[in-house]
mmCIF file with all atom_site columns, all heavy atoms in Angstrom:
data_model
loop_
_atom_site.group_PDB
_atom_site.id
_atom_site.type_symbol
_atom_site.label_atom_id
_atom_site.label_alt_id
_atom_site.label_comp_id
_atom_site.label_asym_id
_atom_site.label_entity_id
_atom_site.label_seq_id
_atom_site.pdbx_PDB_ins_code
_atom_site.Cartn_x
_atom_site.Cartn_y
_atom_site.Cartn_z
_atom_site.occupancy
_atom_site.B_iso_or_equiv
_atom_site.pdbx_formal_charge
_atom_site.auth_seq_id
_atom_site.auth_comp_id
_atom_site.auth_asym_id
_atom_site.auth_atom_id
_atom_site.pdbx_PDB_model_num
ATOM 1   N N   . VAL A 1 1  ? 75.877  134.394 89.785  1.00 0.00 ? 1  VAL A N   1
ATOM 2   C CA  . VAL A 1 1  ? 75.311  135.735 89.879  1.00 0.00 ? 1  VAL A CA  1
ATOM 3   C C   . VAL A 1 1  ? 74.458  136.000 88.643  1.00 0.00 ? 1  VAL A C   1
ATOM 4   O O   . VAL A 1 1  ? 74.981  135.968 87.516  1.00 0.00 ? 1  VAL A O   1
ATOM 5   C CB  . VAL A 1 1  ? 76.425  136.793 89.988  1.00 0.00 ? 1  VAL A CB  1
ATOM 6   C CG1 . VAL A 1 1  ? 75.827  138.190 90.064  1.00 0.00 ? 1  VAL A CG1 1
ATOM 7   C CG2 . VAL A 1 1  ? 77.309  136.520 91.208  1.00 0.00 ? 1  VAL A CG2 1
ATOM 8   N N   . PRO A 1 2  ? 73.160  136.225 88.801  1.00 0.00 ? 2  PRO A N   1
ATOM 9   C CA  . PRO A 1 2  ? 72.309  136.497 87.639  1.00 0.00 ? 2  PRO A CA  1
ATOM 10  C C   . PRO A 1 2  ? 72.822  137.699 86.843  1.00 0.00 ? 2  PRO A C   1
ATOM 11  O O   . PRO A 1 2  ? 73.167  138.737 87.418  1.00 0.00 ? 2  PRO A O   1
ATOM 12  C CB  . PRO A 1 2  ? 70.942  136.785 88.272  1.00 0.00 ? 2  PRO A CB  1
ATOM 13  C CG  . PRO A 1 2  ? 70.978  136.086 89.602  1.00 0.00 ? 2  PRO A CG  1
ATOM 14  C CD  . PRO A 1 2  ? 72.397  136.194 90.062  1.00 0.00 ? 2  PRO A CD  1
ATOM 15  N N   . GLY A 1 3  ? 72.889  137.554 85.538  1.00 0.00 ? 3  GLY A N   1
ATOM 16  C CA  . GLY A 1 3  ? 73.340  138.635 84.687  1.00 0.00 ? 3  GLY A CA  1
ATOM 17  C C   . GLY A 1 3  ? 74.843  138.748 84.563  1.00 0.00 ? 3  GLY A C   1
ATOM 18  O O   . GLY A 1 3  ? 75.339  139.670 83.908  1.00 0.00 ? 3  GLY A O   1
ATOM 19  N N   . TYR A 1 4  ? 75.581  137.820 85.174  1.00 0.00 ? 4  TYR A N   1
ATOM 20  C CA  . TYR A 1 4  ? 77.047  137.841 85.068  1.00 0.00 ? 4  TYR A CA  1
ATOM 21  C C   . TYR A 1 4  ? 77.464  136.477 84.524  1.00 0.00 ? 4  TYR A C   1
ATOM 22  O O   . TYR A 1 4  ? 77.666  135.523 85.280  1.00 0.00 ? 4  TYR A O   1
ATOM 23  C CB  . TYR A 1 4  ? 77.677  138.120 86.421  1.00 0.00 ? 4  TYR A CB  1
ATOM 24  C CG  . TYR A 1 4  ? 79.132  138.488 86.355  1.00 0.00 ? 4  TYR A CG  1
ATOM 25  C CD1 . TYR A 1 4  ? 79.631  139.315 85.356  1.00 0.00 ? 4  TYR A CD1 1
ATOM 26  C CD2 . TYR A 1 4  ? 80.034  138.034 87.315  1.00 0.00 ? 4  TYR A CD2 1
ATOM 27  C CE1 . TYR A 1 4  ? 80.959  139.672 85.299  1.00 0.00 ? 4  TYR A CE1 1
ATOM 28  C CE2 . TYR A 1 4  ? 81.374  138.379 87.262  1.00 0.00 ? 4  TYR A CE2 1
ATOM 29  C CZ  . TYR A 1 4  ? 81.828  139.204 86.255  1.00 0.00 ? 4  TYR A CZ  1
ATOM 30  O OH  . TYR A 1 4  ? 83.156  139.548 86.202  1.00 0.00 ? 4  TYR A OH  1
ATOM 31  N N   . PRO A 1 5  ? 77.587  136.338 83.209  1.00 0.00 ? 5  PRO A N   1
ATOM 32  C CA  . PRO A 1 5  ? 77.708  135.009 82.595  1.00 0.00 ? 5  PRO A CA  1
ATOM 33  C C   . PRO A 1 5  ? 78.979  134.251 82.943  1.00 0.00 ? 5  PRO A C   1
ATOM 34  O O   . PRO A 1 5  ? 79.030  133.044 82.762  1.00 0.00 ? 5  PRO A O   1
ATOM 35  C CB  . PRO A 1 5  ? 77.649  135.324 81.088  1.00 0.00 ? 5  PRO A CB  1
ATOM 36  C CG  . PRO A 1 5  ? 78.041  136.755 80.963  1.00 0.00 ? 5  PRO A CG  1
ATOM 37  C CD  . PRO A 1 5  ? 77.545  137.420 82.206  1.00 0.00 ? 5  PRO A CD  1
ATOM 38  N N   . GLN A 1 6  ? 80.007  134.935 83.472  1.00 0.00 ? 6  GLN A N   1
ATOM 39  C CA  . GLN A 1 6  ? 81.225  134.215 83.811  1.00 0.00 ? 6  GLN A CA  1
ATOM 40  C C   . GLN A 1 6  ? 81.086  133.356 85.061  1.00 0.00 ? 6  GLN A C   1
ATOM 41  O O   . GLN A 1 6  ? 81.818  132.377 85.230  1.00 0.00 ? 6  GLN A O   1
ATOM 42  C CB  . GLN A 1 6  ? 82.393  135.201 84.013  1.00 0.00 ? 6  GLN A CB  1
ATOM 43  C CG  . GLN A 1 6  ? 82.919  135.822 82.731  1.00 0.00 ? 6  GLN A CG  1
ATOM 44  C CD  . GLN A 1 6  ? 82.114  137.045 82.312  1.00 0.00 ? 6  GLN A CD  1
ATOM 45  O OE1 . GLN A 1 6  ? 81.052  137.302 82.876  1.00 0.00 ? 6  GLN A OE1 1
ATOM 46  N NE2 . GLN A 1 6  ? 82.608  137.782 81.328  1.00 0.00 ? 6  GLN A NE2 1
ATOM 47  N N   . THR A 1 7  ? 80.164  133.707 85.954  1.00 0.00 ? 7  THR A N   1
ATOM 48  C CA  . THR A 1 7  ? 80.092  132.979 87.223  1.00 0.00 ? 7  THR A CA  1
ATOM 49  C C   . THR A 1 7  ? 79.688  131.515 87.075  1.00 0.00 ? 7  THR A C   1
ATOM 50  O O   . THR A 1 7  ? 80.186  130.676 87.834  1.00 0.00 ? 7  THR A O   1
ATOM 51  C CB  . THR A 1 7  ? 79.152  133.691 88.212  1.00 0.00 ? 7  THR A CB  1
ATOM 52  O OG1 . THR A 1 7  ? 77.898  133.964 87.583  1.00 0.00 ? 7  THR A OG1 1
ATOM 53  C CG2 . THR A 1 7  ? 79.763  134.988 88.683  1.00 0.00 ? 7  THR A CG2 1
ATOM 54  N N   . PRO A 1 8  ? 78.820  131.116 86.138  1.00 0.00 ? 8  PRO A N   1
ATOM 55  C CA  . PRO A 1 8  ? 78.556  129.674 86.006  1.00 0.00 ? 8  PRO A CA  1
ATOM 56  C C   . PRO A 1 8  ? 79.790  128.872 85.607  1.00 0.00 ? 8  PRO A C   1
ATOM 57  O O   . PRO A 1 8  ? 79.888  127.686 85.927  1.00 0.00 ? 8  PRO A O   1
ATOM 58  C CB  . PRO A 1 8  ? 77.480  129.617 84.910  1.00 0.00 ? 8  PRO A CB  1
ATOM 59  C CG  . PRO A 1 8  ? 76.825  130.950 84.941  1.00 0.00 ? 8  PRO A CG  1
ATOM 60  C CD  . PRO A 1 8  ? 77.915  131.915 85.294  1.00 0.00 ? 8  PRO A CD  1
ATOM 61  N N   . TRP A 1 9  ? 80.749  129.507 84.920  1.00 0.00 ? 9  TRP A N   1
ATOM 62  C CA  . TRP A 1 9  ? 81.948  128.787 84.514  1.00 0.00 ? 9  TRP A CA  1
ATOM 63  C C   . TRP A 1 9  ? 82.820  128.439 85.721  1.00 0.00 ? 9  TRP A C   1
ATOM 64  O O   . TRP A 1 9  ? 83.621  127.516 85.665  1.00 0.00 ? 9  TRP A O   1
ATOM 65  C CB  . TRP A 1 9  ? 82.775  129.643 83.549  1.00 0.00 ? 9  TRP A CB  1
ATOM 66  C CG  . TRP A 1 9  ? 82.036  130.115 82.350  1.00 0.00 ? 9  TRP A CG  1
ATOM 67  C CD1 . TRP A 1 9  ? 80.840  129.635 81.869  1.00 0.00 ? 9  TRP A CD1 1
ATOM 68  C CD2 . TRP A 1 9  ? 82.423  131.169 81.470  1.00 0.00 ? 9  TRP A CD2 1
ATOM 69  N NE1 . TRP A 1 9  ? 80.460  130.332 80.741  1.00 0.00 ? 9  TRP A NE1 1
ATOM 70  C CE2 . TRP A 1 9  ? 81.411  131.269 80.470  1.00 0.00 ? 9  TRP A CE2 1
ATOM 71  C CE3 . TRP A 1 9  ? 83.521  132.019 81.420  1.00 0.00 ? 9  TRP A CE3 1
ATOM 72  C CZ2 . TRP A 1 9  ? 81.482  132.217 79.453  1.00 0.00 ? 9  TRP A CZ2 1
ATOM 73  C CZ3 . TRP A 1 9  ? 83.589  132.954 80.391  1.00 0.00 ? 9  TRP A CZ3 1
ATOM 74  C CH2 . TRP A 1 9  ? 82.578  133.048 79.429  1.00 0.00 ? 9  TRP A CH2 1
ATOM 75  N N   . ARG A 1 10 ? 82.664  129.183 86.814  1.00 0.00 ? 10 ARG A N   1
ATOM 76  C CA  . ARG A 1 10 ? 83.533  129.017 87.975  1.00 0.00 ? 10 ARG A CA  1
ATOM 77  C C   . ARG A 1 10 ? 82.937  128.109 89.035  1.00 0.00 ? 10 ARG A C   1
ATOM 78  O O   . ARG A 1 10 ? 83.527  127.922 90.099  1.00 0.00 ? 10 ARG A O   1
ATOM 79  C CB  . ARG A 1 10 ? 83.822  130.383 88.609  1.00 0.00 ? 10 ARG A CB  1
ATOM 80  C CG  . ARG A 1 10 ? 84.474  131.376 87.649  1.00 0.00 ? 10 ARG A CG  1
ATOM 81  C CD  . ARG A 1 10 ? 84.475  132.759 88.244  1.00 0.00 ? 10 ARG A CD  1
ATOM 82  N NE  . ARG A 1 10 ? 85.055  133.737 87.337  1.00 0.00 ? 10 ARG A NE  1
ATOM 83  C CZ  . ARG A 1 10 ? 84.812  135.046 87.381  1.00 0.00 ? 10 ARG A CZ  1
ATOM 84  N NH1 . ARG A 1 10 ? 83.978  135.514 88.280  1.00 0.00 ? 10 ARG A NH1 1
ATOM 85  N NH2 . ARG A 1 10 ? 85.391  135.869 86.527  1.00 0.00 ? 10 ARG A NH2 1
ATOM 86  N N   . ASN A 1 11 ? 81.752  127.584 88.782  1.00 0.00 ? 11 ASN A N   1
ATOM 87  C CA  . ASN A 1 11 ? 81.073  126.784 89.791  1.00 0.00 ? 11 ASN A CA  1
ATOM 88  C C   . ASN A 1 11 ? 80.615  125.456 89.193  1.00 0.00 ? 11 ASN A C   1
ATOM 89  O O   . ASN A 1 11 ? 80.157  125.407 88.046  1.00 0.00 ? 11 ASN A O   1
ATOM 90  C CB  . ASN A 1 11 ? 79.857  127.540 90.341  1.00 0.00 ? 11 ASN A CB  1
ATOM 91  C CG  . ASN A 1 11 ? 80.256  128.716 91.197  1.00 0.00 ? 11 ASN A CG  1
ATOM 92  O OD1 . ASN A 1 11 ? 80.545  128.562 92.371  1.00 0.00 ? 11 ASN A OD1 1
ATOM 93  N ND2 . ASN A 1 11 ? 80.296  129.910 90.607  1.00 0.00 ? 11 ASN A ND2 1
ATOM 94  N N   . PRO A 1 12 ? 80.720  124.374 89.975  1.00 0.00 ? 12 PRO A N   1
ATOM 95  C CA  . PRO A 1 12 ? 80.322  123.052 89.452  1.00 0.00 ? 12 PRO A CA  1
ATOM 96  C C   . PRO A 1 12 ? 78.822  122.949 89.269  1.00 0.00 ? 12 PRO A C   1
ATOM 97  O O   . PRO A 1 12 ? 78.033  123.521 90.025  1.00 0.00 ? 12 PRO A O   1
ATOM 98  C CB  . PRO A 1 12 ? 80.819  122.094 90.545  1.00 0.00 ? 12 PRO A CB  1
ATOM 99  C CG  . PRO A 1 12 ? 80.878  122.926 91.788  1.00 0.00 ? 12 PRO A CG  1
ATOM 100 C CD  . PRO A 1 12 ? 81.258  124.309 91.346  1.00 0.00 ? 12 PRO A CD  1
ATOM 101 N N   . LYS A 1 13 ? 78.425  122.205 88.257  1.00 0.00 ? 13 LYS A N   1
ATOM 102 C CA  . LYS A 1 13 ? 77.001  121.983 88.004  1.00 0.00 ? 13 LYS A CA  1
ATOM 103 C C   . LYS A 1 13 ? 76.463  120.806 88.812  1.00 0.00 ? 13 LYS A C   1
ATOM 104 O O   . LYS A 1 13 ? 75.263  120.707 89.042  1.00 0.00 ? 13 LYS A O   1
ATOM 105 C CB  . LYS A 1 13 ? 76.779  121.740 86.510  1.00 0.00 ? 13 LYS A CB  1
ATOM 106 C CG  . LYS A 1 13 ? 77.100  122.930 85.623  1.00 0.00 ? 13 LYS A CG  1
ATOM 107 C CD  . LYS A 1 13 ? 76.804  122.612 84.160  1.00 0.00 ? 13 LYS A CD  1
ATOM 108 C CE  . LYS A 1 13 ? 77.098  123.799 83.268  1.00 0.00 ? 13 LYS A CE  1
ATOM 109 N NZ  . LYS A 1 13 ? 76.829  123.504 81.831  1.00 0.00 ? 13 LYS A NZ  1
ATOM 110 N N   . GLU A 1 14 ? 77.353  119.897 89.206  1.00 0.00 ? 14 GLU A N   1
ATOM 111 C CA  . GLU A 1 14 ? 76.940  118.719 89.952  1.00 0.00 ? 14 GLU A CA  1
ATOM 112 C C   . GLU A 1 14 ? 77.241  118.905 91.446  1.00 0.00 ? 14 GLU A C   1
ATOM 113 O O   . GLU A 1 14 ? 78.082  119.720 91.824  1.00 0.00 ? 14 GLU A O   1
ATOM 114 C CB  . GLU A 1 14 ? 77.674  117.479 89.432  1.00 0.00 ? 14 GLU A CB  1
ATOM 115 C CG  . GLU A 1 14 ? 77.436  117.185 87.957  1.00 0.00 ? 14 GLU A CG  1
ATOM 116 C CD  . GLU A 1 14 ? 75.993  116.862 87.654  1.00 0.00 ? 14 GLU A CD  1
ATOM 117 O OE1 . GLU A 1 14 ? 75.320  116.325 88.553  1.00 0.00 ? 14 GLU A OE1 1
ATOM 118 O OE2 . GLU A 1 14 ? 75.539  117.157 86.528  1.00 0.00 ? 14 GLU A OE2 1
ATOM 119 N N   . PRO A 1 15 ? 76.541  118.140 92.321  1.00 0.00 ? 15 PRO A N   1
ATOM 120 C CA  . PRO A 1 15 ? 76.817  118.236 93.759  1.00 0.00 ? 15 PRO A CA  1
ATOM 121 C C   . PRO A 1 15 ? 78.275  117.901 94.061  1.00 0.00 ? 15 PRO A C   1
ATOM 122 O O   . PRO A 1 15 ? 78.893  117.056 93.406  1.00 0.00 ? 15 PRO A O   1
ATOM 123 C CB  . PRO A 1 15 ? 75.858  117.199 94.372  1.00 0.00 ? 15 PRO A CB  1
ATOM 124 C CG  . PRO A 1 15 ? 74.783  117.034 93.339  1.00 0.00 ? 15 PRO A CG  1
ATOM 125 C CD  . PRO A 1 15 ? 75.435  117.218 92.013  1.00 0.00 ? 15 PRO A CD  1
ATOM 126 N N   . LEU A 1 16 ? 78.809  118.570 95.078  1.00 0.00 ? 16 LEU A N   1
ATOM 127 C CA  . LEU A 1 16 ? 80.193  118.342 95.456  1.00 0.00 ? 16 LEU A CA  1
ATOM 128 C C   . LEU A 1 16 ? 80.362  116.963 96.087  1.00 0.00 ? 16 LEU A C   1
ATOM 129 O O   . LEU A 1 16 ? 79.465  116.450 96.769  1.00 0.00 ? 16 LEU A O   1
ATOM 130 C CB  . LEU A 1 16 ? 80.650  119.412 96.442  1.00 0.00 ? 16 LEU A CB  1
ATOM 131 C CG  . LEU A 1 16 ? 80.602  120.866 95.933  1.00 0.00 ? 16 LEU A CG  1
ATOM 132 C CD1 . LEU A 1 16 ? 81.094  121.810 97.027  1.00 0.00 ? 16 LEU A CD1 1
ATOM 133 C CD2 . LEU A 1 16 ? 81.418  121.034 94.671  1.00 0.00 ? 16 LEU A CD2 1
ATOM 134 N N   . VAL A 1 17 ? 81.502  116.363 95.874  1.00 0.00 ? 17 VAL A N   1
ATOM 135 C CA  . VAL A 1 17 ? 81.847  115.074 96.462  1.00 0.00 ? 17 VAL A CA  1
ATOM 136 C C   . VAL A 1 17 ? 82.916  115.312 97.519  1.00 0.00 ? 17 VAL A C   1
ATOM 137 O O   . VAL A 1 17 ? 83.990  115.841 97.224  1.00 0.00 ? 17 VAL A O   1
ATOM 138 C CB  . VAL A 1 17 ? 82.371  114.095 95.390  1.00 0.00 ? 17 VAL A CB  1
ATOM 139 C CG1 . VAL A 1 17 ? 82.800  112.781 96.034  1.00 0.00 ? 17 VAL A CG1 1
ATOM 140 C CG2 . VAL A 1 17 ? 81.306  113.857 94.326  1.00 0.00 ? 17 VAL A CG2 1
ATOM 141 N N   . ARG A 1 18 ? 82.606  114.962 98.753  1.00 0.00 ? 18 ARG A N   1
ATOM 142 C CA  . ARG A 1 18 ? 83.564  115.179 99.836  1.00 0.00 ? 18 ARG A CA  1
ATOM 143 C C   . ARG A 1 18 ? 84.631  114.075 99.828  1.00 0.00 ? 18 ARG A C   1
ATOM 144 O O   . ARG A 1 18 ? 84.318  112.896 99.751  1.00 0.00 ? 18 ARG A O   1
ATOM 145 C CB  . ARG A 1 18 ? 82.848  115.185 101.186 1.00 0.00 ? 18 ARG A CB  1
ATOM 146 C CG  . ARG A 1 18 ? 83.773  115.417 102.381 1.00 0.00 ? 18 ARG A CG  1
ATOM 147 C CD  . ARG A 1 18 ? 82.989  115.419 103.677 1.00 0.00 ? 18 ARG A CD  1
ATOM 148 N NE  . ARG A 1 18 ? 82.063  116.536 103.728 1.00 0.00 ? 18 ARG A NE  1
ATOM 149 C CZ  . ARG A 1 18 ? 82.406  117.769 104.133 1.00 0.00 ? 18 ARG A CZ  1
ATOM 150 N NH1 . ARG A 1 18 ? 83.655  118.008 104.502 1.00 0.00 ? 18 ARG A NH1 1
ATOM 151 N NH2 . ARG A 1 18 ? 81.509  118.728 104.165 1.00 0.00 ? 18 ARG A NH2 1
ATOM 152 N N   . ARG A 1 19 ? 85.863  114.451 99.907  1.00 0.00 ? 19 ARG A N   1
ATOM 153 C CA  . ARG A 1 19 ? 86.953  113.495 100.037 1.00 0.00 ? 19 ARG A CA  1
ATOM 154 C C   . ARG A 1 19 ? 87.985  114.072 100.986 1.00 0.00 ? 19 ARG A C   1
ATOM 155 O O   . ARG A 1 19 ? 88.129  115.293 101.096 1.00 0.00 ? 19 ARG A O   1
ATOM 156 C CB  . ARG A 1 19 ? 87.585  113.182 98.680  1.00 0.00 ? 19 ARG A CB  1
ATOM 157 C CG  . ARG A 1 19 ? 88.332  114.321 98.031  1.00 0.00 ? 19 ARG A CG  1
ATOM 158 C CD  . ARG A 1 19 ? 88.997  113.856 96.748  1.00 0.00 ? 19 ARG A CD  1
ATOM 159 N NE  . ARG A 1 19 ? 89.741  114.917 96.086  1.00 0.00 ? 19 ARG A NE  1
ATOM 160 C CZ  . ARG A 1 19 ? 90.990  115.270 96.409  1.00 0.00 ? 19 ARG A CZ  1
ATOM 161 N NH1 . ARG A 1 19 ? 91.623  114.632 97.395  1.00 0.00 ? 19 ARG A NH1 1
ATOM 162 N NH2 . ARG A 1 19 ? 91.602  116.242 95.764  1.00 0.00 ? 19 ARG A NH2 1
ATOM 163 N N   . PRO A 1 20 ? 88.706  113.240 101.693 1.00 0.00 ? 20 PRO A N   1
ATOM 164 C CA  . PRO A 1 20 ? 89.688  113.754 102.655 1.00 0.00 ? 20 PRO A CA  1
ATOM 165 C C   . PRO A 1 20 ? 90.833  114.443 101.934 1.00 0.00 ? 20 PRO A C   1
ATOM 166 O O   . PRO A 1 20 ? 91.298  113.975 100.882 1.00 0.00 ? 20 PRO A O   1
ATOM 167 C CB  . PRO A 1 20 ? 90.157  112.487 103.378 1.00 0.00 ? 20 PRO A CB  1
ATOM 168 C CG  . PRO A 1 20 ? 89.878  111.369 102.428 1.00 0.00 ? 20 PRO A CG  1
ATOM 169 C CD  . PRO A 1 20 ? 88.643  111.766 101.695 1.00 0.00 ? 20 PRO A CD  1
ATOM 170 N N   . PRO A 1 21 ? 91.308  115.583 102.472 1.00 0.00 ? 21 PRO A N   1
ATOM 171 C CA  . PRO A 1 21 ? 92.458  116.255 101.871 1.00 0.00 ? 21 PRO A CA  1
ATOM 172 C C   . PRO A 1 21 ? 93.698  115.360 101.917 1.00 0.00 ? 21 PRO A C   1
ATOM 173 O O   . PRO A 1 21 ? 93.905  114.605 102.869 1.00 0.00 ? 21 PRO A O   1
ATOM 174 C CB  . PRO A 1 21 ? 92.644  117.495 102.744 1.00 0.00 ? 21 PRO A CB  1
ATOM 175 C CG  . PRO A 1 21 ? 91.325  117.710 103.409 1.00 0.00 ? 21 PRO A CG  1
ATOM 176 C CD  . PRO A 1 21 ? 90.764  116.339 103.610 1.00 0.00 ? 21 PRO A CD  1
ATOM 177 N N   . THR A 1 22 ? 94.502  115.421 100.877 1.00 0.00 ? 22 THR A N   1
ATOM 178 C CA  . THR A 1 22 ? 95.747  114.652 100.824 1.00 0.00 ? 22 THR A CA  1
ATOM 179 C C   . THR A 1 22 ? 96.926  115.593 101.060 1.00 0.00 ? 22 THR A C   1
ATOM 180 O O   . THR A 1 22 ? 96.762  116.801 101.267 1.00 0.00 ? 22 THR A O   1
ATOM 181 C CB  . THR A 1 22 ? 95.886  113.970 99.456  1.00 0.00 ? 22 THR A CB  1
ATOM 182 O OG1 . THR A 1 22 ? 95.981  114.982 98.439  1.00 0.00 ? 22 THR A OG1 1
ATOM 183 C CG2 . THR A 1 22 ? 94.685  113.083 99.163  1.00 0.00 ? 22 THR A CG2 1
ATOM 184 N N   . LEU A 1 23 ? 98.118  115.036 101.001 1.00 0.00 ? 23 LEU A N   1
ATOM 185 C CA  . LEU A 1 23 ? 99.311  115.824 101.274 1.00 0.00 ? 23 LEU A CA  1
ATOM 186 C C   . LEU A 1 23 ? 99.449  116.998 100.318 1.00 0.00 ? 23 LEU A C   1
ATOM 187 O O   . LEU A 1 23 ? 99.926  118.076 100.697 1.00 0.00 ? 23 LEU A O   1
ATOM 188 C CB  . LEU A 1 23 ? 100.551 114.919 101.177 1.00 0.00 ? 23 LEU A CB  1
ATOM 189 C CG  . LEU A 1 23 ? 101.876 115.539 101.651 1.00 0.00 ? 23 LEU A CG  1
ATOM 190 C CD1 . LEU A 1 23 ? 101.812 115.872 103.128 1.00 0.00 ? 23 LEU A CD1 1
ATOM 191 C CD2 . LEU A 1 23 ? 103.029 114.587 101.357 1.00 0.00 ? 23 LEU A CD2 1
ATOM 192 N N   . SER A 1 24 ? 99.003  116.824 99.077  1.00 0.00 ? 24 SER A N   1
ATOM 193 C CA  . SER A 1 24 ? 99.150  117.900 98.097  1.00 0.00 ? 24 SER A CA  1
ATOM 194 C C   . SER A 1 24 ? 98.284  119.109 98.442  1.00 0.00 ? 24 SER A C   1
ATOM 195 O O   . SER A 1 24 ? 98.614  120.238 98.079  1.00 0.00 ? 24 SER A O   1
ATOM 196 C CB  . SER A 1 24 ? 98.794  117.401 96.697  1.00 0.00 ? 24 SER A CB  1
ATOM 197 O OG  . SER A 1 24 ? 97.447  116.971 96.659  1.00 0.00 ? 24 SER A OG  1
ATOM 198 N N   . GLU A 1 25 ? 97.145  118.902 99.141  1.00 0.00 ? 25 GLU A N   1
ATOM 199 C CA  . GLU A 1 25 ? 96.317  120.026 99.553  1.00 0.00 ? 25 GLU A CA  1
ATOM 200 C C   . GLU A 1 25 ? 96.754  120.612 100.894 1.00 0.00 ? 25 GLU A C   1
ATOM 201 O O   . GLU A 1 25 ? 96.533  121.790 101.157 1.00 0.00 ? 25 GLU A O   1
ATOM 202 C CB  . GLU A 1 25 ? 94.843  119.608 99.681  1.00 0.00 ? 25 GLU A CB  1
ATOM 203 C CG  . GLU A 1 25 ? 94.145  119.333 98.359  1.00 0.00 ? 25 GLU A CG  1
ATOM 204 C CD  . GLU A 1 25 ? 94.316  117.911 97.904  1.00 0.00 ? 25 GLU A CD  1
ATOM 205 O OE1 . GLU A 1 25 ? 94.412  117.020 98.773  1.00 0.00 ? 25 GLU A OE1 1
ATOM 206 O OE2 . GLU A 1 25 ? 94.400  117.694 96.685  1.00 0.00 ? 25 GLU A OE2 1
ATOM 207 N N   . LEU A 1 26 ? 97.352  119.792 101.746 1.00 0.00 ? 26 LEU A N   1
ATOM 208 C CA  . LEU A 1 26 ? 97.661  120.218 103.103 1.00 0.00 ? 26 LEU A CA  1
ATOM 209 C C   . LEU A 1 26 ? 99.071  120.746 103.272 1.00 0.00 ? 26 LEU A C   1
ATOM 210 O O   . LEU A 1 26 ? 99.468  121.115 104.375 1.00 0.00 ? 26 LEU A O   1
ATOM 211 C CB  . LEU A 1 26 ? 97.438  119.049 104.081 1.00 0.00 ? 26 LEU A CB  1
ATOM 212 C CG  . LEU A 1 26 ? 96.001  118.530 104.154 1.00 0.00 ? 26 LEU A CG  1
ATOM 213 C CD1 . LEU A 1 26 ? 95.898  117.348 105.086 1.00 0.00 ? 26 LEU A CD1 1
ATOM 214 C CD2 . LEU A 1 26 ? 95.062  119.643 104.604 1.00 0.00 ? 26 LEU A CD2 1
ATOM 215 N N   . THR A 1 27 ? 99.852  120.797 102.217 1.00 0.00 ? 27 THR A N   1
ATOM 216 C CA  . THR A 1 27 ? 101.206 121.335 102.310 1.00 0.00 ? 27 THR A CA  1
ATOM 217 C C   . THR A 1 27 ? 101.393 122.438 101.290 1.00 0.00 ? 27 THR A C   1
ATOM 218 O O   . THR A 1 27 ? 100.694 122.491 100.278 1.00 0.00 ? 27 THR A O   1
ATOM 219 C CB  . THR A 1 27 ? 102.254 120.246 102.049 1.00 0.00 ? 27 THR A CB  1
ATOM 220 O OG1 . THR A 1 27 ? 102.020 119.698 100.745 1.00 0.00 ? 27 THR A OG1 1
ATOM 221 C CG2 . THR A 1 27 ? 102.171 119.143 103.070 1.00 0.00 ? 27 THR A CG2 1
ATOM 222 N N   . GLY A 1 28 ? 102.351 123.329 101.595 1.00 0.00 ? 28 GLY A N   1
ATOM 223 C CA  . GLY A 1 28 ? 102.662 124.430 100.709 1.00 0.00 ? 28 GLY A CA  1
ATOM 224 C C   . GLY A 1 28 ? 101.501 125.403 100.604 1.00 0.00 ? 28 GLY A C   1
ATOM 225 O O   . GLY A 1 28 ? 100.415 125.128 101.082 1.00 0.00 ? 28 GLY A O   1
ATOM 226 N N   . PRO A 1 29 ? 101.697 126.572 100.029 1.00 0.00 ? 29 PRO A N   1
ATOM 227 C CA  . PRO A 1 29 ? 102.989 127.026 99.519  1.00 0.00 ? 29 PRO A CA  1
ATOM 228 C C   . PRO A 1 29 ? 103.928 127.448 100.646 1.00 0.00 ? 29 PRO A C   1
ATOM 229 O O   . PRO A 1 29 ? 103.543 128.251 101.488 1.00 0.00 ? 29 PRO A O   1
ATOM 230 C CB  . PRO A 1 29 ? 102.605 128.230 98.645  1.00 0.00 ? 29 PRO A CB  1
ATOM 231 C CG  . PRO A 1 29 ? 101.335 128.743 99.246  1.00 0.00 ? 29 PRO A CG  1
ATOM 232 C CD  . PRO A 1 29 ? 100.628 127.543 99.805  1.00 0.00 ? 29 PRO A CD  1
#
């Protein structure tokens, strides 16, 4: 968000890398 300096900290600078979800992402809470 322009003018909101915290938003760049929350977003990656490099392109996302797709990988299949593992058990740790697909279970819980």
Side-chain angles (χ1 to χ4, degrees):
V1 179
Y4 194 40
Q6 287 85 349
T7 51
W9 305 344
R10 302 169 182 157
N11 290 277
K13 295 182 179 179
E14 301 296 330
L16 299 180
V17 177
R18 180 180 295 275
R19 68 176 180 83
T22 63
L23 189 63
S24 61
E25 289 87 32
L26 298 177
T27 58

